[in-house]
Amino acid sequence: MEQRLANTWQMTVNEKKFIETALLSDLRVDGRRPFDYRRLIIKFGREDGLSEVQLGHTHVMGFVTSQLVQPYRDRPNEGTLAIFTEFSPMADPSFEAGRPGESAVELGRIIDRGLRESRAIDTESLCVVAGKFVWAIRIDLHILDNGGNLVDAANIAALAALSTFRRPECSLGGKDAQEVIVHPPETREPLPLIIHHLPIAVTFAFLGKDNIVVVDPTHYEEAVMGGRMTATVNMNGDVCAIQKAGGVGVMHSVIMQCLRIASVKAADMTTKIKNAVSTSLYAYSPQVESYKTERSQRMIKRHTSTAAVDVSEPSHKEINVLLRHHLERSTIRSGELIASSSNAMEIETQLSEQDEKQRDGGARTFIGGPSNWDPLSKGVDSDALKVSLASRGAVRANTKLEESKIENLDVFEQSHPLADVNPVPPLHEVAAIDLQTKGERTLKDAVKPKHKRKKKPSSKTDAS
Amino acid sequence: MEYVNPEGIREDGRRPLEMRHLHAEIGTVARADGSAVFEMGNTKVIAAVYGPREVQNRSQQLNDQALVRCEYTMPNFSTGDRMRKPKGDRRSTEISLVIRQTMEACILTHLMPRSQIDIYVQVLSADGGTRSACINAATLALADAGIPMRDLVTSCSAGYLNSTPLLDLSYFEDSAGGPDVTVGILPKLDKVTLLQMDARLPIDIFEIVVQLATEGCKAVANYIHEVLLENTKQLEYRRGL
């Protein structure tokens, strides 16, 4: 936190003690576990290279621009990359307008080290005329709201903006090909930057006497922490930059453990950013616009349920994945992606547990192979069956499962429910019901009274 | 570009795991409460400590602990090419912040509430590893000023070039664009307080380089102990004890 300032917010002793005591039982004030990230939302603007990132309450905007300049004398054939940070006073009362304070400079340099020194952006491709004209990429990061952990949010904003930025194409012309002609975007399609890898910054805070480690500290935790460490790693397991600028001393083993956690988080974050970027690209490309709306309309017809929070964008490849997990999501809003944090991992584990439970319940009725008591049935391919059922829009209310589903959805954060109403019942059940109607009738069917079908749960357990 | 020749000798004649020559003097700035000059090879740094003294800016006063301030400057003549703007540029601001937070972690600030400790560090000659030299000099200066500390803070840098971990990089090796890891430790407590790294390294190689830098820090700590012991003997002698 900024050192001086009469109007700096001071934390009360009670609040400090509360945070530290809660951490002793592995609880954080906002309900997260020590290594969970907050909710991440990445949005893009109308222009190329404009991104807006919200990590919990922290709100950062990134904007990338380019300009033709003279290169540095010692690197005549490389473009340049510069990062400017703007800590707006509206973000935090301790930020001052005008000259960047210490933490602003530190943030800029951390992100700069992560991008430039690790060669994430290919600067040699930015050279137009060696020694005379190169592209200078300028990244502006504006902090709009300081909810803690500005470094991570600003880093994501910078990466997202760089991924969607397009620089104008230029060619040499004029007399003896020394003049550079910059083509406006109307005449020639602007080019993306060459990004080798995405360095993700993961910040750890060390709190309390025993130096408990937490990931993604909030504003309150930052006021209480003894020290912090930012590790910038990429998906390939390379450490791109580390910044532990003093603060409380920690054991060597703790640092290595933090790096391992950081590489896991980096992989997660990289997929989120890439998904967000690719969704936004689809949204603004005119030829794909119709494809996207058509696809989203198809999704509304098929999957009428409350959208649940989960990672990754809908693509026709993933529809099977969606079905298998019994939750649908749809992103209609162009260029907006709601990605949950490590809740994704929670969701997956919990869903697989649910799957197991339901499969156990349904296993006795529906086995995905030829029925062993009926020599003439061919067996049903479960995937094909699910897809065909989904396209028919078979929706049968199943109250028990509805309740359990609603419970689950309350536990996870809900995003805006788009289409309405009837949740799609677990398809195992539907499949089972249909198999009974589709499969050949045997003596057992003849014996069972017809009205028993109303009580589906009980019929499940009875049928063999 | 070869930084380690096939016989295993570096550009300045050292072996990969060899540190540069260390030299330290205490009490060089007569006016200051504590001061020191620290040399690591060709890198020479002077540090002066003023404090604990009354807080100059009342609004910054902390009621339960001492305020630590640090200023890092590189005068124009310190580098090979004359620098244009020595003060106030972003690198100096960041290094000032880093040194301040590193020393703040080891000074027992709660023993001196409502007071201020100023650490001024100037680089007289820069040849790589200025950050580490500054922290070592600041430690010596704080000890000379008699400011209570948890432990000494010593720092050293290491890198990885030509697939060899190298200890204590010179400017030539640093400007190669390879990884540069600076580590600051509390030697008695064996805890890492400062860790900075740039460029890319796989995690396992990073661990090796960090451990190498930590060993370098311990060697610096031994040297600093000797210097402080020698200095105390001199003080005893002068007092006639």
Side-chain angles (χ1 to χ4, degrees):
Chain A
M1 285 188 48
E2 292 290 338
Q3 241 200 336
R4 36 200 243 85
L5 302 242
N7 54 352
T8 308
W9 157 77
Q10 294 276 359
M11 225 183 176
T12 63
V13 174
N14 266 343
E15 285 178 313
K16 277 188 204 166
K17 283 207 180 131
F18 182 74
I19 292 177
E20 285 171 9
T21 319
L23 269 174
L24 290 173
S25 357
D26 248 14
L27 285 172
R28 291 166 81 172
V29 177
D30 52 358
R32 287 185 282 157
R33 287 175 322 187
F35 299 131
D36 286 348
Y37 256 93
R38 288 172 288 180
R39 195 169 79 130
L40 175 67
I41 301 176
I42 305 177
K43 292 187 207 174
F44 297 92
R46 279 257 143 215
E47 294 168 46
D48 293 329
L50 178 63
S51 72
E52 199 182 311
V53 167
Q54 270 182 285
L55 182 63
H57 285 302
T58 303
H59 201 155
V60 180
M61 274 188 75
F63 191 38
V64 178
T65 45
S66 63
Q67 202 186 15
L68 274 178
V69 297
Q70 263 201 340
Y72 287 127
R73 237 173 298 143
D74 51 344
R75 281 175 216 254
N77 59 342
E78 280 185 24
T80 62
L81 187 73
I83 299 189
F84 292 88
T85 53
E86 177 82 37
F87 274 44
S88 163
M90 78 169 157
D92 192 294
S94 63
F95 295 163
E96 277 192 330
R99 275 197 80 219
E102 279 182 332
S103 47
V105 171
E106 190 193 5
L107 184 140
R109 281 189 63 91
I110 295 175
I111 299 181
D112 186 65
R113 266 207 288 271
L115 283 176
R116 186 212 303 269
E117 306 280 340
S118 64
R119 314 238 172 245
I121 310 284
D122 185 42
T123 45
E124 282 181 4
S125 63
L126 297 173
C127 175
V128 180
V129 179
K132 283 210 195 151
F133 288 113
V134 296
W135 284 107
I137 306 291
R138 178 186 164 126
I139 305 173
D140 283 283
L141 295 164
H142 286 255
I143 314 291
L144 301 174
D145 196 354
N146 181 15
N149 198 8
L150 291 171
V151 178
D152 291 10
N155 194 51
I156 295 174
L159 291 172
L162 284 167
S163 305
T164 55
F165 172 66
R166 301 284 177 267
R167 64 167 174 89
E169 192 178 331
C170 53
S171 52
L172 297 171
K175 283 184 261 188
D176 59 302
Q178 281 308 307
E179 244 178 59
V180 178
I181 308 170
V182 177
H183 299 278
E186 292 86 40
T187 48
R188 282 207 205 167
E189 192 70 22
L191 307 165
L193 294 172
I194 299 178
I195 301 179
H196 294 303
H197 62 98
L198 290 176
I200 309 283
V202 179
T203 299
F204 300 86
F206 305 108
L207 292 149
K209 267 188 306 158
D210 315 315
N211 287 340
I212 302 174
V213 182
V214 295
V215 170
D216 190 18
T218 59
H219 193 41
Y220 296 99
E221 287 162 347
E222 283 185 346
V224 180
M225 68 185 176
R228 76 153 90 203
M229 180 171 95
T230 301
T232 308
V233 295
N234 70 10
M235 217 163 83
N236 310 329
D238 294 330
V239 181
C240 299
I242 295 191
Q243 173 87 348
K244 184 189 187 306
V248 76
V250 292
M251 309 285 295
H252 183 74
S253 50
V254 171
I255 292 190
M256 295 316 295
Q257 188 201 10
C258 287
L259 285 182
R260 280 186 273 273
I261 295 170
S263 49
V264 171
K265 296 289 171 193
D268 190 29
M269 205 60 85
T270 310
T271 33
K272 279 182 203 165
I273 296 178
K274 283 190 177 159
N275 291 335
V277 169
S278 57
T279 313
S280 83
L281 289 177
Y282 274 131
Y284 290 113
S285 172
Q287 57 265 41
V288 196
E289 181 66 42
S290 55
Y291 165 83
K292 194 186 180 299
T293 46
E294 187 212 307
R295 193 181 61 193
S296 41
Q297 274 169 6
R298 260 188 288 148
M299 291 204 56
I300 295 179
K301 258 189 262 170
R302 251 188 244 167
H303 314 301
T304 55
S305 88
T306 52
V309 181
D310 205 341
V311 194
S312 86
E313 96 272 282
S315 77
H316 53 281
K317 274 179 267 178
E318 295 186 351
I319 284 180
N320 277 339
V321 178
L322 292 179
L323 293 175
R324 235 174 264 135
H325 287 203
H326 305 296
L327 289 171
E328 284 76 32
R329 48 206 182 279
S330 28
T331 57
I332 301 294
R333 229 166 290 184
S334 50
E336 177 168 1
L337 177 75
I338 297 177
S340 79
S341 54
S342 66
N343 276 339
M345 294 193 216
E346 270 178 89
I347 294 176
E348 248 129 46
T349 49
Q350 218 157 339
L351 280 172
S352 56
E353 277 169 47
Q354 262 235 310
D355 277 353
E356 309 274 292
K357 273 186 245 160
Q358 280 168 352
R359 276 201 197 107
D360 280 337
R364 278 165 268 166
T365 48
F366 176 56
I367 307 165
S371 319
N372 48 10
W373 46 265
D374 185 353
L376 295 174
S377 82
K378 287 176 224 145
V380 179
D381 177 35
S382 57
D383 284 2
L385 182 61
K386 282 173 202 164
V387 172
S388 70
L389 285 169
S391 61
R392 273 198 299 145
V395 175
R396 288 191 212 186
N398 189 335
T399 50
K400 221 201 219 175
L401 291 150
E402 256 184 54
E403 278 165 16
S404 67
K405 271 192 74 173
I406 289 173
E407 252 174 44
N408 285 340
L409 289 173
D410 282 343
V411 167
F412 311 132
E413 287 173 89
Q414 286 209 34
S415 62
H416 321 275
L418 288 169
D420 47 336
V421 195
N422 302 330
V424 176
L427 290 158
H428 288 299
E429 308 287 333
V430 178
I433 299 163
D434 276 328
L435 181 62
Q436 285 178 346
T437 54
K438 272 188 183 174
E440 277 195 79
R441 298 180 151 256
T442 64
L443 281 172
K444 285 198 176 159
D445 283 327
V447 165
K448 275 184 220 156
K450 275 190 189 171
H451 62 260
K452 214 180 178 189
R453 274 205 199 106
K454 282 184 208 160
K455 295 186 277 171
K456 279 162 206 131
S458 53
S459 75
K460 294 290 152 285
T461 53
D462 287 349
S464 59
Chain B
M1 193 78 203
E2 202 182 62
Y3 296 96
V4 183
N5 73 11
E7 282 105 57
I9 305 287
R10 287 151 80 171
E11 183 252 350
D12 51 1
R14 285 184 285 156
R15 299 216 153 263
L17 305 182
E18 202 180 309
M19 273 193 76
R20 290 179 290 184
H21 175 71
L22 298 173
H23 180 74
E25 286 166 20
I26 299 189
T28 44
V29 178
R31 193 72 177 73
D33 293 326
S35 59
V37 168
F38 198 86
E39 286 178 58
M40 287 170 96
N42 286 333
T43 301
K44 188 168 177 178
V45 158
I46 186 168
V49 166
Y50 286 83
R53 58 179 176 178
E54 198 176 329
V55 180
Q56 282 163 349
N57 194 345
R58 266 303 173 82
S59 65
Q60 297 176 19
Q61 192 177 54
L62 295 168
N63 287 323
D64 57 340
Q65 55 179 345
L67 180 73
V68 179
R69 281 186 14 181
C70 176
E71 201 179 276
Y72 164 95
T73 50
M74 283 180 88
N76 292 14
F77 50 82
S78 58
T79 52
D81 300 317
R82 192 161 190 275
M83 284 174 56
R84 257 175 300 151
K85 207 171 52 152
K87 263 199 185 186
D89 68 321
R90 303 166 92 202
R91 180 173 171 272
S92 301
T93 313
E94 195 214 348
I95 298 183
S96 303
L97 171 81
V98 164
I99 298 177
R100 189 193 88 223
Q101 287 185 303
T102 309
M103 306 323 292
E104 214 171 7
C106 79
I107 297 176
L108 296 167
T109 47
H110 61 273
L111 293 178
M112 298 161 287
R114 289 181 283 274
S115 67
Q116 175 176 310
I117 299 173
D118 289 316
I119 308 172
Y120 300 105
V121 188
Q122 280 214 3
V123 178
L124 299 175
S125 164
D127 186 24
T130 54
R131 211 171 303 213
S132 305
C134 287
I135 290 177
N136 296 328
T139 301
L140 272 172
L142 285 167
D144 186 36
I147 290 176
M149 292 196 281
R150 285 196 178 88
D151 195 355
L152 303 173
V153 185
T154 55
S155 166
C156 188
S157 64
Y160 189 76
L161 287 170
N162 290 143
S163 316
T164 329
L166 302 173
L167 181 60
D168 197 9
L169 300 173
S170 62
Y171 178 72
F172 175 69
E173 288 159 346
D174 198 2
S175 54
D180 175 21
V181 177
T182 306
V183 174
I185 62 166
L186 301 165
K188 280 266 160 59
L189 303 173
D190 202 17
K191 293 207 171 174
V192 177
T193 171
L194 166 70
L195 179 57
Q196 281 190 306
M197 182 218 148
D198 58 9
R200 246 190 314 179
L201 265 186
I203 290 190
D204 40 353
I205 299 183
F206 171 74
E207 193 169 356
I208 298 173
V209 176
V210 164
Q211 279 177 344
L212 179 62
T214 311
E215 291 302 315
C217 295
K218 291 185 185 160
V220 175
N222 283 337
Y223 179 71
I224 288 184
H225 266 125
E226 280 173 24
V227 170
L228 285 172
L229 212 54
E230 181 65 38
N231 186 47
T232 314
K233 282 186 187 159
Q234 287 281 333
L235 288 173
E236 275 183 335
Y237 175 70
R238 278 186 216 146
R239 285 240 191 126
L241 289 167

